Amino acid sequence: MSAQEKKLRVGSPLMHRRIAATPDAGDAPPWDLDTRHALVGKRIPRLDALAKVSGRARFPSDVRPGDLLYAAVLRSAIPAGMVKRIELGPALRMPGVEGGVLAKEPGKKIRYQGDELCAVCATSRAAAEEALRKVTLELEPSEHTAERAGEARQKLPEADPLPTSLAEVGEAEGDEVELTHVYETQTQMHHPLEPHGITARVGADSSVDVWASTQATFGMRAGIAKALEIPQEKVRVHTEHMGGGFGSKLSPGVEARLCALLAKQTGKPVQLFVDRRAEALAVGNRPASLQCLKVKASKAGKILEWSGKTIGLTGYAGSGRVTSPVSFYLPGKRARLGHEDLRDNQGSARAFRAPGHPQGFFAAESIVDELAYRVGMDPLEFRLKNLAGTLYTEQLKLAAKEIDWERHSNRSPGRVSGGERSLRGVGMAITTWGIWASRGTQVLCRIHPSGRVEVRNGAQDIGTGSRTVLGIITAETLGIPVERVDVFLGDTKDPVGPGSGGSMTAASLSPPARHAAWQAGKELLARIAEQAGRKVEDLKLTGGEVRIAGGRKLSWDRACAALGNDPVEALGKSLGRWKGFATRVSGCQLADVSVDLDTGHVRPNRIVAVQDCGTVVDMLTAESQVIGGVIQGIGYALFEERTTDPKLGRVMNTDLEQYRIPGSMEMPEIVPVLLRGNNGHNNSGVAGLGEPPTIPTAGAIANAVRNATGVRMHRLPMTPARVLEGLERMKIGRRS
Amino acid sequence: MVEPRATLLDLLRNQLELTGAKEACDLGACGACTLEVGGKTVNACMVLALDCEGAEILTVEGLSDGEKLHPLQQSFVEADALQCGYCTCGMLMSAHACLAANPGAGSREIREALAGNLCRCGTYPRVFEACEKAAHTMLRDAGARKGGKR
């Protein structure tokens, strides 16, 4: 069969073009912007919602196999040093204790407060925790480097002096304006509500079952196999549901390894979920950054030069690199950017929803915004001018209309005419994210004689709605209601799937799911044609029915019943990879905030988030993703910050009272605006969505504070104390 | 046998295998283990099991009427008021207690009732929407029942 070229209209409703694509033989016909869908893009409740609202959904921490033992981990209380002596003997003799393993032998280094020393398991967690107190332990402390922000500041060029009046931040004189600003971002913790951990059971034949709270079932399988020195095929990972990860559960951690070793040692199932304190200390974070940016613009409003030096404070390992939107603002020109990571004796950096981006976009969007005011231009107009020719201009205009920029943008930041106690402003920022998918992903589709369709992949649904995406793509392809589809995810006995990182899951699962359903549908037709003595070309699957040339119709149920005892099945692969519309998604957010001049509180009133993500498979869950991204962005902008005692090197806020994540009382109105697009890379045109909506929120809020008050915030989170410091310095409000 | 140091949450999750209530912070700070004891919400991680002897305890598993979902559960499904789902059962119980005590609760009261329930995926706006919708349904159904009796 020769491949046939197809013309596709791809992109988004705001900007699109025609491409030529040549589908692989046997692949489903590609969708494009002109495709009329029955289900794709509608508002469909997630397929596992019933299990989750009824309490029936079993998370990995809910699994209770018989004879279950509970494990607990002993962690270092000091940030740096060496293990001199560690003996489990006395702990193992405690009542209820059945096993114990060392995480560090004597002589090993302590890298941070919370570093794992050993683990024991017992018949209850209380018994395990009690036993840990009996471990014979001697640690030799050494000098720590837990707090290096001060040292990092010394490495950066000197910034412009901070302004002390509104007069200094108005339109500048001269043909060009150059600003040198330093921005600082904090260490943010992931804090998924389900802690990190697994439940493990080693069978008599040395095969292992693991129920893991993971973002990557296949990565977990490899990690457990390595820890137990057995082949991967001996390990089966189950992750039917899991309670959030945000990047911190992409690789199997020490806790998983220790749990597997305890299960092997005791021959009984063992559960090890770390406590909230360990969540704060030991399972990763978004690393802090210091960023010095020097940007020059012409008075006509064109950005001319951009250079910067950035520093990441990574903890004992990981990357603190920051990513900025400079390439969009300076197309075709080279920005001079340098980066350095500083290691210290704290918990390590890990991937956190759009690694490097929220920090980089906060700094870059802040200085771009400030330049607009200094060249005497409206911040929207300044961006439209510098982003001309990109999708951003259309998205910004759309968002500006939605938030009513003309009416709500404050034209005189910081001006207090009467006795106002608060000022209101609107700020904006852009976002981007690459479109990635795993090539190896395969999806199994089985049509049963009962009329039900079974879809299987071994990857996990981390709450983003992957299960529902698979169900909708399958149902749409076969022309049946989504209620007819049973989706099974999170079992590594099923075909291989992606880790849920890089916003890859939906983009990786959709093309093979559509390919599998298409192939299975064709096979169903072939079987019916054979029975009816017709040619397969005479049969069509449409609207949930099989239509036979000449007018005869078969309902879906009758067609499937004709399969007798043999379901049809097909394995879908990741085909396609055409050039498509773009290699990145784009979006922007506009935030309307109020700043209390007496208390320094920043209260977001309304945030409009415009986002493209290729094909929107389910509008309901896609919007939820955007809303969730914005809310994590609000936490990053206003509340969340790990604080460490610089003398002791110990983290001071290891619980959810002292480390504040956004709650119900801090919610603004959030308006997600999803663009129904199609990226044109393959049969389904889906791009990722998890990460981009959390990137611009902090920048948009900071720029709204600037629009309201004239105060440029250089440091996250924008706590009341920091905002008040700025208001007082600029002599704004009644306190000044 | 219940150990004196076992919390209500330990008892439910580990002995009775009612795992709808979740353990997320073990400190009464996140609300993932919220349930009702004698009609009042508690963080089950902060209550000793033995202190609840003889009390009527309602967990999320008891919200639905057989296979028929409670209006709150139904509206959570329809409004997509959940993502990973780990905080969801706690949210439902706080909302349930709020609407039981104050069937006319509005947006402000609902937000206050949920102030002790943290969600890291960021489902709050959807949760508010679901609660308001359920409150409406429950008022309407109660009105219909009353009307029917007359």
Side-chain angles (χ1 to χ4, degrees):
Chain A
M1 208 174 9
S2 73
Q4 251 195 340
E5 192 179 90
K6 287 198 187 298
K7 294 262 185 259
L8 303 175
R9 196 166 67 86
V10 298
S12 94
L14 298 176
M15 198 179 270
H16 48 86
R17 66 164 169 270
R18 290 196 178 275
I19 60 161
T22 310
D24 294 85
D27 196 2
W31 293 330
D32 74 354
L33 288 177
D34 298 318
T35 307
R36 294 180 61 157
H37 290 115
L39 298 170
V40 166
K42 303 287 188 307
R43 308 178 72 82
I44 297 171
R46 63 182 70 218
L47 302 187
D48 47 14
L50 178 63
K52 287 178 177 176
V53 300
S54 61
R56 273 179 238 155
R58 286 272 162 152
F59 289 74
S61 52
D62 294 335
V63 178
R64 295 283 177 276
D67 282 336
L68 181 64
L69 299 175
Y70 298 84
V73 180
L74 184 66
R75 295 172 183 278
S76 169
I78 59 169
M82 202 228 345
V83 178
K84 264 185 90 177
R85 189 163 165 230
I86 181 164
E87 282 157 27
L88 292 178
L92 295 178
R93 288 190 289 276
M94 289 288 286
V97 174
E98 302 211 8
V101 288
L102 288 184
K104 280 194 201 300
E105 305 281 338
K108 288 283 183 193
K109 259 169 116 174
I110 307 283
R111 301 162 298 173
Y112 65 100
Q113 179 204 6
D115 212 348
E116 295 86 357
L117 300 170
C118 65
V120 299
C121 59
T123 48
S124 74
R125 211 180 61 199
E129 281 167 1
E130 206 164 276
L132 288 179
R133 285 180 218 126
K134 302 288 180 190
V135 173
T136 309
L137 180 69
E138 273 180 57
L139 301 181
E140 191 172 274
S142 61
E143 210 167 311
H144 68 79
T145 54
E147 189 50 67
R148 298 184 76 180
E151 187 185 334
R153 277 180 207 113
Q154 300 300 316
K155 287 174 171 268
L156 293 177
E158 202 172 331
D160 301 337
L162 293 173
T164 55
S165 71
L166 282 171
E168 294 168 56
V169 298
E171 187 175 343
E173 310 264 306
D175 299 334
E176 290 175 350
V177 179
E178 184 179 79
L179 296 176
T180 306
H181 280 189
V182 171
Y183 294 94
E184 296 189 25
T185 67
Q186 76 280 34
T187 302
Q188 183 187 25
M189 331 253 221
H190 300 79
H191 278 311
L193 279 204
E194 182 176 41
H196 287 62
I198 66 170
T199 308
R201 183 179 64 196
V202 180
D205 59 350
S206 84
S207 68
V208 184
D209 281 284
V210 170
W211 293 264
S213 189
T214 181
Q215 292 176 245
T217 49
F218 291 95
M220 179 60 76
R221 181 176 72 171
I224 298 295
K226 194 173 166 213
L228 298 180
E229 296 171 325
I230 54 175
Q232 287 190 22
E233 61 272 20
K234 283 275 198 187
V235 181
R236 182 173 178 184
V237 176
H238 312 259
T239 305
E240 194 184 355
H241 305 284
M242 61 83 74
F246 314 108
S248 68
K249 292 179 182 168
L250 280 166
S251 337
V254 181
E255 65 282 348
R257 186 169 60 85
L258 294 174
C259 186
L261 290 172
L262 286 168
K264 187 180 169 187
Q265 186 187 66
T266 59
K268 289 186 182 174
V270 178
Q271 182 167 90
L272 198 170
F273 277 81
V274 308
D275 60 15
R276 187 51 53 185
R277 187 175 160 75
E279 281 294 316
L281 295 173
V283 293
N285 56 63
R286 184 189 301 288
S289 77
L290 289 93
Q291 308 174 53
C292 181
L293 300 181
K294 186 173 188 172
V295 185
K296 194 197 291 189
S298 69
K299 269 305 275 298
K302 198 83 187 137
I303 294 174
L304 304 169
E305 284 173 27
W306 189 305
S307 62
K309 174 164 167 92
T310 55
I311 294 175
L313 300 171
T314 68
Y316 73 87
S319 166
R321 200 159 269 287
V322 300
T323 308
S324 101
V326 54
S327 60
F328 303 112
Y329 284 109
L330 258 187
K333 285 199 196 171
R334 263 184 107 82
R336 283 168 293 128
L337 303 170
H339 180 81
E340 186 181 347
D341 273 345
L342 293 183
R343 297 261 181 268
D344 57 48
N345 288 119
Q346 296 204 73
S348 78
R350 257 188 211 181
F352 191 158
R353 203 171 190 168
H357 285 66
Q359 49 269 60
F361 277 59
F362 158 68
E365 285 292 325
S366 292
I367 198 163
V368 163
D369 201 71
E370 191 60 34
L371 272 171
Y373 291 104
R374 302 293 181 92
V375 301
M377 267 175 92
D378 169 300
L380 175 65
E381 197 190 331
F382 185 73
R383 282 180 176 79
L384 294 181
K385 191 169 178 127
N386 284 285
L387 295 166
T390 68
L391 185 51
Y392 289 118
T393 57
E394 300 311 306
Q395 294 186 331
L396 282 164
K397 282 189 243 170
L398 183 66
K401 203 173 152 200
E402 178 61 41
I403 212 159
D404 201 354
W405 168 258
E406 280 309 310
R407 199 157 70 86
H408 284 298
S409 73
N410 180 14
R411 306 293 156 156
S412 48
R415 197 170 65 196
V416 182
S417 43
E420 295 102 324
R421 295 190 56 193
S422 75
L423 291 174
R424 193 163 171 180
V426 176
M428 65 193 72
I430 63 167
T431 181
T432 188
W433 190 254
I435 300 173
W436 291 295
S438 87
R439 284 230 77 157
T441 297
Q442 301 192 346
V443 172
L444 179 78
C445 178
R446 206 174 264 144
I447 302 174
H448 289 280
S450 66
R452 294 206 69 82
V453 178
E454 176 188 348
V455 180
R456 289 190 172 270
N457 176 272
Q460 56 295 315
D461 183 338
I462 64 170
T464 51
S466 312
R467 184 175 274 114
T468 312
V469 164
L470 275 183
I472 293 172
I473 298 264
T474 302
E476 180 81 47
T477 302
L478 291 172
I480 56 174
V482 72
E483 291 76 17
R484 287 303 184 88
V485 184
D486 299 306
V487 184
F488 298 87
L489 277 180
D491 181 342
T492 55
K493 279 275 185 272
D494 285 329
V496 69
S500 292
S503 300
M504 290 212 320
T505 320
S508 300
L509 289 173
S510 298
R514 177 152 163 74
H515 180 221
W518 179 255
Q519 292 288 348
K522 281 213 312 206
E523 175 66 19
L524 172 69
L525 293 184
R527 298 261 291 269
I528 294 167
E530 198 185 338
Q531 289 179 18
R534 302 288 298 252
K535 281 189 289 187
V536 69
E537 294 79 43
D538 293 344
L539 273 65
K540 248 182 127 174
L541 186 56
T542 178
E545 302 177 317
V546 176
R547 293 193 189 164
I548 304 172
R552 226 184 113 208
K553 283 194 281 190
L554 271 180
S555 70
W556 175 259
D557 281 345
R558 283 191 53 205
C560 294
L563 292 171
N565 295 333
D566 303 324
V568 295
E569 69 175 53
L571 192 62
K573 295 188 172 168
S574 185
L575 304 171
R577 289 295 188 282
W578 312 313
K579 200 154 170 258
F581 178 76
T583 55
R584 310 192 69 81
V585 298
S586 29
C588 65
Q589 289 176 17
L590 266 66
D592 166 354
V593 312
S594 293
V595 182
D596 188 309
L597 296 177
D598 294 344
T599 66
H601 267 98
V602 176
R603 187 167 59 86
N605 302 307
R606 192 159 185 263
I607 296 179
V608 172
V610 172
Q611 189 62 52
D612 89 66
C613 65
T615 302
V616 177
V617 180
D618 181 354
M619 187 55 85
L620 185 66
T621 55
E623 283 183 359
S624 292
Q625 278 285 287
V626 174
I627 292 170
V630 169
I631 292 172
Q632 268 185 359
I634 291 171
Y636 189 57
L638 299 177
F639 309 123
E640 300 180 34
E641 180 172 31
R642 184 186 70 185
T643 50
T644 302
D645 182 310
K647 266 215 173 99
L648 300 175
R650 293 177 63 148
V651 178
M652 308 306 287
N653 50 352
T654 55
D655 63 53
L656 286 173
E657 282 186 330
Q658 303 302 320
Y659 184 90
R660 267 190 77 215
I661 68 172
S664 70
M665 301 307 283
E666 286 115 9
M667 284 302 110
E669 183 194 353
I670 299 170
V671 184
V673 182
L674 266 294
L675 300 170
R676 292 171 194 275
N678 183 311
N679 77 44
H681 290 158
N682 49 44
N683 64 21
S684 39
V686 176
L689 179 61
E691 279 150 307
T694 206
I695 294 170
T697 316
I701 292 175
N703 292 339
V705 172
R706 167 64 170 93
N707 183 246
T709 63
V711 174
R712 172 58 58 197
M713 296 304 297
H714 292 264
R715 190 167 173 192
L716 296 181
M718 294 174 270
T719 57
R722 287 175 188 154
V723 174
L724 274 186
E725 188 274 324
L727 290 169
E728 286 182 11
R729 176 166 42 75
M730 301 270 290
K731 305 174 193 70
I732 295 157
R734 297 190 305 185
R735 295 169 61 102
S736 307
Chain B
M1 195 194 79
V2 179
E3 276 195 68
R5 66 182 168 190
T7 64
L8 179 56
L9 187 61
D10 291 333
L11 174 67
L12 289 171
R13 288 179 58 79
N14 302 340
Q15 282 180 255
L16 304 177
E17 291 193 36
L18 290 169
T19 54
K22 303 292 188 236
E23 182 179 320
C25 77
D26 206 17
L27 200 77
C30 76
C33 62
T34 306
L35 42 82
E36 290 177 31
V37 177
K40 291 224 159 36
T41 55
V42 299
N43 288 314
C45 72
M46 302 294 281
V47 179
L48 288 173
L50 289 178
D51 284 343
C52 300
E53 200 181 349
E56 189 178 322
I57 293 165
L58 180 65
T59 71
V60 73
E61 287 89 348
L63 265 196
S64 55
D65 179 7
E67 283 303 300
K68 193 180 178 308
L69 292 181
H70 187 275
L72 270 165
Q73 291 171 308
Q74 188 60 39
S75 61
F76 266 56
V77 170
E78 286 164 10
D80 201 37
L82 56 127
Q83 288 187 33
C84 82
Y86 213 72
C87 73
T88 307
C89 296
M91 290 271 184
L92 279 163
M93 296 313 293
S94 290
H96 180 263
C98 167
L99 296 184
N102 179 8
S107 164
R108 176 85 199 171
E109 288 86 358
I110 289 167
R111 282 175 181 237
E112 279 172 3
L114 296 169
N117 292 83
L118 294 177
C119 168
R120 192 50 160 162
C121 299
T123 58
Y124 302 108
R126 300 285 208 216
V127 172
F128 305 153
E129 188 190 324
C131 291
E132 285 172 41
K133 206 173 134 199
H136 189 77
T137 309
M138 288 161 73
L139 275 179
R140 196 194 55 206
D141 291 354
R145 272 201 303 276
K146 234 176 169 177
K149 271 180 199 155
R150 244 180 246 147

